Amino acid sequence: MLYNDPLSFVSTQPFNRRESLTERLVQMISADIRCGKYAPGEKIPTEKEFISKYNVSRSVVREAIASLKSDGLLTSRQGIGVFVNDPLPSEPFTFSSTDVKGLENISLMQELRKAVEIEAAGLAAERRSEQQMKHITDAFDKLERSYVSKESDIGLEDFSFHLAVAEATNNKYFPDFLIYLRNEITLGLNIKYQGSHHFSNSEYRRNSLQEHQELVNAIARQDGESARQLMRDHLSNASQYYGDLERLLAEKEA
């Protein structure tokens, strides 16, 4: 499962909803192409598969694919399907998932997240609309349910929550940044949750969920400074966890 509703985190500023869904789908497919999920020369999923995966209409998928074709990322082969272009258009800056597989590098990614997400939390508290607050609350509810559901991907639900917070800044570059780094962020989150059995699994998850809840409360009462501090504490605690896990695994290998 990728997301329960991966495109539900669109901004509530006055614009056409179809356009916003199309833009978000373009960003997500583009990120998958750039990070190598769909390799150059590879056929991408069908319209029907994209509709099911992202819970959007056929017209939204078609518009997104058309946009990606115009950007030079995709090309159609008549009677066969749509393929990733080879070579891809050059990108001045990118990340590879292989860059962040090690726990040390995941900790470095945490530092980058802090630089962006602490301020995003404060701006979300100060600027969020009621509809955006609902999106954040819904994302938290899904994350909470994922803690006890074996069918849910906790890492991706955690990412969806942070994306909802970024959307509430009403500055498109915050969610764009997270979407660009989605695979790298979720890789770290999955390692965190899967590795938590090395410690007190129930205690770690309880503390992490409480941190998310407190952040929701701060954004709800529009307390920007508290939201910034809570996000700082949340990401710092995650960094501490990665450090502890790295040391524990090193000891086991010694």
Side-chain angles (χ1 to χ4, degrees), residues 97-207:
S97 292
T98 59
D99 294 335
V100 293
K101 284 184 178 179
L103 285 169
E104 179 181 356
N105 289 334
I106 289 174
S107 295
L108 295 177
M109 180 64 71
Q110 284 295 108
E111 291 184 356
L112 179 60
R113 290 185 64 191
K114 287 179 187 178
V116 174
E117 292 195 62
I118 291 171
E119 183 61 17
L123 293 176
E126 293 161 1
R127 299 175 178 176
R128 59 86 178 161
S129 67
E130 290 302 316
Q131 184 61 35
Q132 288 167 334
M133 189 67 238
K134 184 178 184 303
H135 286 162
I136 292 171
T137 302
D138 289 346
F140 173 77
D141 290 343
K142 291 177 182 178
L143 176 61
E144 185 176 30
R145 289 195 296 272
S146 74
Y147 273 60
V148 296
S149 172
K150 294 182 179 180
E151 297 180 358
S152 296
D153 188 323
I154 304 178
L156 288 167
E157 295 297 354
D158 195 318
F159 173 81
S160 295
F161 172 84
H162 285 264
L163 181 58
V165 172
E167 286 282 359
T169 66
N170 291 303
N171 177 335
K172 78 182 192 70
Y173 293 108
F174 282 99
D176 285 355
F177 176 84
L178 290 190
I179 289 172
Y180 185 75
L181 297 179
R182 184 190 65 185
N183 284 13
E184 288 71 32
I185 292 173
T186 54
L187 173 64
L189 290 168
N190 284 330
I191 288 175
K192 180 177 71 172
Y193 286 113
Q194 291 169 5
S196 61
H197 68 274
H198 290 287
F199 305 109
S200 174
N201 195 1
S202 60
E203 181 181 359
Y204 177 79
R205 294 192 179 200
R206 182 169 60 251
N207 291 341

Side-chain angles (χ1 to χ4, degrees), residues 24-44:
R24 191 62 68 226
L25 183 56
V26 166
Q27 292 168 338
M28 298 180 80
I29 297 175
S30 177
D32 284 340
I33 293 172
R34 295 294 187 190
C35 75
K37 181 175 181 180
Y38 304 128
E42 181 181 347
K43 183 178 179 181
I44 65 170

Side-chain angles (χ1 to χ4, degrees), residues 18-135:
R18 175 184 290 183
E19 290 179 353
S20 67
L21 288 173
T22 300
E23 291 168 2
R24 191 62 68 226
L25 183 56
V26 166
Q27 292 168 338
M28 298 180 80
I29 297 175
S30 177
D32 284 340
I33 293 172
R34 295 294 187 190
C35 75
K37 181 175 181 180
Y38 304 128
E42 181 181 347
K43 183 178 179 181
I44 65 170
T46 64
E47 286 184 1
K48 184 177 180 180
E49 289 171 326
F50 275 129
I51 290 168
S52 175
K53 183 176 183 179
Y54 292 106
N55 191 29
V56 293
S57 67
R58 184 178 300 275
S59 61
V60 167
V61 173
R62 289 182 174 176
E63 289 165 8
I65 298 301
S67 177
L68 290 165
K69 288 179 183 177
S70 68
D71 290 341
L73 292 176
L74 298 176
T75 187
S76 291
R77 298 181 189 174
Q78 189 170 7
I80 302 177
V82 180
F83 293 77
V84 178
N85 265 333
D86 186 9
L88 291 172
S90 60
E91 278 279 291
F93 175 74
T94 188
F95 283 97
S96 168
S97 292
T98 59
D99 294 335
V100 293
K101 284 184 178 179
L103 285 169
E104 179 181 356
N105 289 334
I106 289 174
S107 295
L108 295 177
M109 180 64 71
Q110 284 295 108
E111 291 184 356
L112 179 60
R113 290 185 64 191
K114 287 179 187 178
V116 174
E117 292 195 62
I118 291 171
E119 183 61 17
L123 293 176
E126 293 161 1
R127 299 175 178 176
R128 59 86 178 161
S129 67
E130 290 302 316
Q131 184 61 35
Q132 288 167 334
M133 189 67 238
K134 184 178 184 303
H135 286 162

